[in-house]
Amino acid sequence: MNQDWEDRVAALWDRFDDYAETGEDEARFRADVDALVAELPEGSPLGPFEQACAWDSTGHSDKAVPLYREALALGLAGVSPYKARRTKIQLASSLRNTGRAEEGVALLTPELDAPSDELADPVRATLALCLSSLGRDREALSLALGALAPHLQRYQRSMANYARLLVEPGESPGA
């Protein structure tokens, strides 16, 4: 869209916590999102993206899933690669919340090979949750430790090695 529209969307999200966590206020928040989406041209992937985020953030993962899928299908990656990556993270989380963690794993696993950015850790964290939901806790812990290791002031190498050894056992991690 344009920067003014993006700024108004960001301002609405900045006020999200001002909406009390009641069904009525959540509906009002979603209506405010819908009003902004109504300004978009027909077929814009930004509309279903913002609507999915609103449903998801108000506890309705089931309603968010088809909207996330629609945003990706409409070409969100071409409009905003950053929002497309966010969509994959949020969709995987919603899939997990609706009992389809395996789909979340399939969606996020290729994201591990994407260039590193500020969403790399959220990809790993969400993938770890999906894996844990499937009973794959060692893989989940490996991803979580691997994401955490670079942020530690000490023990970075050890924690990175421990993370690797959770899925490749048999070696000593070193110090």
Side-chain angles (χ1 to χ4, degrees):
M1 186 65 182
N2 62 43
Q3 193 57 51
D4 174 64
W5 186 87
E6 291 284 353
D7 290 345
R8 288 184 291 130
V9 169
L12 178 60
W13 281 103
D14 286 344
R15 294 189 314 272
F16 178 72
D17 289 336
D18 295 344
Y19 291 81
E21 291 187 11
T22 67
E24 183 178 317
D25 286 338
E26 290 174 354
R28 189 167 46 90
F29 176 78
R30 289 189 306 268
D32 290 347
V33 169
D34 288 343
L36 287 168
V37 167
E39 298 176 23
L40 293 169
E42 183 74 26
S44 171
L46 296 172
F49 168 75
E50 293 297 341
Q51 290 169 318
C53 293
W55 279 109
D56 213 359
S57 295
T58 57
H60 299 278
S61 294
D62 58 325
K63 295 189 184 294
V65 167
L67 291 164
Y68 285 135
R69 290 188 193 279
E70 181 182 353
L72 291 172
L74 287 172
L76 184 59
V79 173
S80 173
Y82 177 80
K83 287 183 180 181
R85 193 159 196 218
R86 279 186 51 204
T87 298
K88 291 176 186 177
I89 294 165
Q90 293 165 205
L91 174 55
S93 178
S94 292
L95 288 166
R96 176 185 165 269
N97 290 339
T98 58
R100 297 179 284 175
E102 190 66 50
E103 290 178 56
V105 169
L107 184 65
L108 287 183
T109 299
E111 290 297 311
L112 294 174
D113 296 326
S116 185
D117 62 12
E118 68 187 65
L119 296 175
D121 289 341
V123 164
R124 284 169 174 73
T126 305
L127 181 53
L129 287 168
C130 290
L131 288 166
S132 182
S133 291
L134 295 171
R136 295 165 60 183
D137 293 327
R138 288 181 69 87
E139 290 173 78
L141 181 57
S142 174
L143 277 170
L145 282 176
L148 175 64
H151 305 285
L152 301 175
Q153 290 192 6
R154 294 194 172 276
Y155 313 110
Q156 289 178 350
R157 190 177 79 186
S158 294
M159 287 301 142
N161 283 333
Y162 284 130
R164 181 180 51 80
L165 291 174
L166 281 165
V167 292
E168 299 173 14
E171 297 178 36
S172 172

